[in-house]
Amino acid sequence: MNIKRAKEEIKNTIEAYLTKDEYGEYVIPTIRQRPVLLLGAPGIGKTQIMEQIARECQVGLVSYTITHHTRQSAIGLPFISKKDFGGKEYAFTEYTMSEIVASVYEKMEKTGLKEGILFIDEVNCVSETLAPAMLQFLQCKTFGNHAIPGGWIIVAAGNPPEYNKSVREFDVVTMDRVKKIQVEPDYQVWKEYAYKEQIHPAVISYLDTRPQHFYRMETTVDGRTFATPRGWEDLSRILSVYGILGKKMDRDVVIQYIQHEKIAKDFANYLELYEKYQMDYQLEQVFEGKIEESLVKKAAHASFDERLSVISLLISRCTEQFRSAYVQEQLVEKLFENMKEAKEGMLGIWKEQPAVLFEDILRRFEEKWTQLREAEILDREENRIYREVLNRLEIYGKCLDDSCRSNGEKAFEKLKEQFADDREKLEEAQEKSGQMLEYAFDFMEVVFPCGQEMVIFITELGMNYYSIKFLQGYDCERYYQYNKNLLFEDCSRNIEARLKNL
């Protein structure tokens, strides 16, 4: 299955394992909660989805790459203990708590989360001395003499033998005690993730034209050459920062991330063309509603790869604005929650001490943010939104001067003025997003009046996280009309195919 389906299945497994009956006991006893074993090629996102799953399920996460550990750190250090049996004293060996099990307890204490995921990576690549301990871990959910706490689900990940010489095959006894999930690379699934994570549009555009380069693993006389989703994402990050710094990226930089010489060279060449298209098609003017005749003629003679690149540039510019509107919307929603609390208090029991109330609201919001951050429940963008909300609340608090410190009604009016400014910014961001989308449609209809370019444009909007969020609240007639036609054409093709088969 692909990584998206694997993520969904793991989330379902966690929900099932953590379901309790009326007595507070787990419906599936801990002994029957099979560890999940993720097997798949390196770099396809096995580790990354675990962070997403923990955040979305709001449970703890403790991650270990087991190949970095020795037998002692995994199962604990031995020490001599003595006990009486039948009136005679005997010495025997005990073990200190495993570092891994201890980390689970530390996570519980630090975050207050009593349930979570213990993720062990490269589980089938351990040394010969550690292998028996890993088999015991998967079969009995213990490290040494210490069990994994109840409510903590075990997820392990490993690579198939063809990708790693040190892989150890698990026996049937062990495999019969795990829930095995085989994961395969899937570009279309990764592309949905790429839009949300703001992967550089040049990377997405390139892989749209050459999806076979998304994941490549080959053995040559010079050793392994490869391109992986992890490599493309890391390349995207450095490419974005190079753009900010005004630095040039060439093949020598690309191959540091995409360690496949032919693909690295091909992408470096494509990147030069992509930057040229950005200049040639004057998108700044397009999003001002100006489409030059020369632009139409140029597009008419463009290659298909060039047209795809232009569509990617359009989508990228729209996505930036859609994301800006989305972030502002999240900001306003969280500010509104605090405004409701402020209104209730300032017009009620706190009407004579509105500033004291607002200081308490501000303090509790900051504590909530700290708690969520320490529990690692927030992703990078959510964390930024919380920080910005806190900044705005601090500005709100500064407007409560001496003239309204003992008058709740006046204080709340001051807050309303501040909140109105944020609401206005949201409306402006949404209006600008809608206008940019309409200009993009104008461009598509003039420059690519017919053909598959519009189909590609509509399809990209339909799988882009931020465009979907925007279109849920914006009535774009052309999008829905073209999308309806696209669905109708797909239905017609399916019917024709079925009739042909009959």
Side-chain angles (χ1 to χ4, degrees):
M1 64 178 68
N2 60 50
I3 198 72
K4 182 179 180 181
R5 179 72 178 85
K7 176 184 172 182
E8 180 184 347
E9 183 54 38
I10 296 172
K11 287 178 67 176
N12 290 341
T13 301
I14 291 170
E15 185 178 353
Y17 284 178
L18 297 183
T19 299
K20 297 178 180 178
D21 61 20
E22 64 271 24
Y23 302 107
E25 301 290 336
Y26 293 113
V27 174
I28 301 176
T30 302
I31 195 172
R32 294 299 175 196
Q33 294 180 4
R34 290 190 172 201
V36 176
L37 178 59
L38 275 176
L39 291 177
I44 62 175
K46 299 189 295 296
T47 304
Q48 200 163 39
I49 64 167
M50 298 316 304
E51 298 172 1
Q52 299 169 18
I53 290 169
R55 285 196 299 266
E56 292 169 20
C57 295
Q58 296 199 344
V59 297
L61 175 66
V62 173
S63 298
Y64 272 93
T65 301
I66 199 64
T67 49
H68 299 167
H69 284 264
T70 64
R71 184 174 182 274
Q72 287 73 27
S73 64
I75 69 172
L77 294 172
F79 65 92
I80 303 299
S81 182
K82 295 181 180 181
K83 280 189 179 180
D84 286 336
F85 295 104
K88 188 175 181 180
E89 187 178 73
Y90 293 89
F92 64 96
T93 303
E94 284 196 83
Y95 287 86
T96 59
M97 182 175 280
S98 159
E99 177 187 323
I100 297 172
V101 177
S103 294
V104 173
Y105 282 106
E106 286 174 3
K107 175 67 75 169
M108 293 166 67
E109 185 177 347
K110 179 181 178 182
T111 65
L113 297 170
K114 302 303 181 185
E115 299 172 326
I117 303 166
L118 173 57
F119 178 62
I120 305 295
D121 200 8
E122 299 183 8
V123 70
N124 58 350
C125 299
V126 295
S127 64
E128 187 174 349
T129 57
L130 190 53
M134 293 314 303
L135 294 178
Q136 180 194 26
F137 167 67
L138 292 174
Q139 293 178 18
C140 307
K141 301 175 187 172
T142 62
F143 273 116
N145 298 332
H146 304 281
I148 306 303
W152 280 74
I153 286 87
I154 296 170
V155 181
N159 299 323
E162 60 267 27
Y163 297 109
N164 196 323
K165 294 179 181 178
S166 60
V167 164
R168 293 176 176 274
E169 295 279 357
F170 290 141
D171 56 32
V172 174
V173 175
T174 301
M175 293 304 294
D176 194 36
R177 285 175 167 82
V178 300
K179 181 173 179 174
K180 177 184 172 185
I181 298 178
Q182 191 80 35
V183 188
E184 302 292 340
D186 187 321
Y187 171 60
Q188 290 304 319
V189 166
W190 182 82
K191 187 175 174 181
E192 294 179 32
Y193 163 83
Y195 274 128
K196 185 176 181 181
E197 293 298 315
Q198 303 169 69
I199 298 299
H200 197 285
V203 171
I204 297 176
S205 177
Y206 173 79
L207 293 175
D208 277 340
T209 59
R210 299 162 180 82
Q212 70 276 16
H213 291 173
F214 170 62
Y215 191 91
R216 184 74 71 86
M217 188 77 64
E218 296 175 354
T219 302
T220 68
V221 292
D222 298 320
R224 283 287 177 94
T225 62
F226 53 88
T228 68
R230 182 193 296 135
W232 287 114
E233 180 168 0
D234 292 346
L235 175 65
S236 165
R237 304 300 179 197
I238 196 71
L239 179 56
S240 297
V241 176
Y242 268 36
I244 295 170
L245 299 175
K247 295 183 180 295
K248 183 74 173 175
M249 178 170 286
D250 57 18
R251 187 191 69 84
D252 291 336
V253 178
V254 175
I255 204 168
Q256 296 167 20
Y257 296 87
I258 306 302
Q259 298 181 43
H260 189 292
E261 189 170 353
K262 290 182 180 178
I263 296 176
K265 181 179 179 181
D266 192 43
F267 178 75
N269 293 337
Y270 176 84
L271 189 59
E272 290 186 9
L273 287 173
Y274 188 87
E275 292 169 351
K276 179 177 179 294
Y277 300 151
Q278 202 164 9
M279 299 293 294
D280 290 351
Y281 282 85
Q282 309 160 25
L283 291 185
E284 291 296 337
Q285 293 185 29
V286 168
F287 287 111
E288 293 175 1
K290 302 172 186 176
I291 304 174
E292 301 290 339
E293 183 63 30
S294 58
L295 195 62
V296 179
K297 291 180 180 178
K298 178 177 177 57
H301 297 91
S303 66
F304 183 66
D305 280 8
E306 182 173 335
R307 295 182 179 204
L308 276 181
S309 299
V310 173
I311 294 171
S312 176
L313 286 165
L314 276 179
I315 293 286
S316 172
R317 290 298 303 277
C318 288
T319 299
E320 288 177 16
Q321 184 55 41
F322 294 155
R323 178 183 171 275
S324 177
Y326 171 79
V327 169
Q328 185 65 25
E329 183 178 14
Q330 295 298 304
L331 175 70
V332 168
E333 284 183 5
K334 285 181 169 50
L335 287 171
F336 182 68
E337 292 171 6
N338 290 278
M339 286 291 290
K340 285 196 300 183
E341 186 176 353
K343 179 181 180 181
E344 184 179 347
M346 290 179 180
L347 303 184
I349 60 174
W350 291 92
K351 61 184 178 182
E352 294 181 359
Q353 293 180 302
V356 175
L357 169 64
F358 199 77
E359 286 173 6
D360 185 58
I361 290 174
L362 183 62
R363 177 186 59 78
R364 283 187 281 113
F365 182 84
E366 187 170 11
E367 287 177 354
K368 179 183 177 182
W369 176 35
T370 302
Q371 183 181 11
L372 292 172
R373 190 172 66 245
E374 289 181 350
E376 299 176 351
I377 288 174
L378 302 176
D379 63 24
R380 189 176 181 183
E381 184 154 280
E382 289 169 336
N383 193 51
R384 286 177 176 173
I385 291 170
Y386 267 88
R387 180 184 288 112
E388 184 58 29
V389 172
L390 184 62
N391 290 340
R392 293 299 301 157
L393 288 176
E394 288 174 348
I395 292 171
Y396 283 23
K398 290 176 182 177
C399 78
L400 302 179
D401 52 27
D402 293 337
S403 66
C404 62
R405 282 190 173 273
S406 59
N407 188 319
E409 289 186 11
K410 283 187 178 181
F412 187 66
E413 286 300 319
K414 292 266 189 181
L415 295 180
K416 280 175 65 178
E417 291 174 7
Q418 294 289 331
F419 184 67
D421 290 341
D422 288 312
R423 285 291 301 269
E424 186 177 347
K425 289 177 184 176
L426 171 59
E427 291 169 3
E428 289 173 356
Q430 291 174 332
E431 184 178 348
K432 186 175 180 181
S433 298
Q435 188 61 71
M436 287 186 72
L437 182 58
E438 298 298 342
Y439 283 146
F441 269 109
D442 290 342
F443 176 86
M444 291 297 298
E445 289 177 343
V446 172
V447 177
F448 305 122
C450 57
Q452 56 186 332
E453 290 83 7
M454 184 63 82
V455 173
I456 294 168
F457 182 68
I458 296 297
T459 302
E460 295 301 301
L461 286 176
M463 69 185 305
N464 184 322
Y465 178 83
Y466 292 108
S467 64
I468 292 171
K469 289 289 184 183
F470 177 72
L471 288 165
Q472 287 173 347
Y474 178 76
D475 188 18
C476 180
E477 292 184 9
R478 285 189 285 186
Y479 170 76
Y480 291 111
Q481 184 59 47
Y482 281 116
N483 196 42
K484 183 179 178 181
N485 292 340
L486 177 59
L487 291 173
F488 178 78
E489 289 172 5
D490 285 345
C491 183
S492 298
R493 281 194 291 269
N494 289 336
I495 292 172
E496 289 173 5
R498 290 173 63 187
L499 287 172
K500 187 176 181 179
N501 288 337
L502 290 171

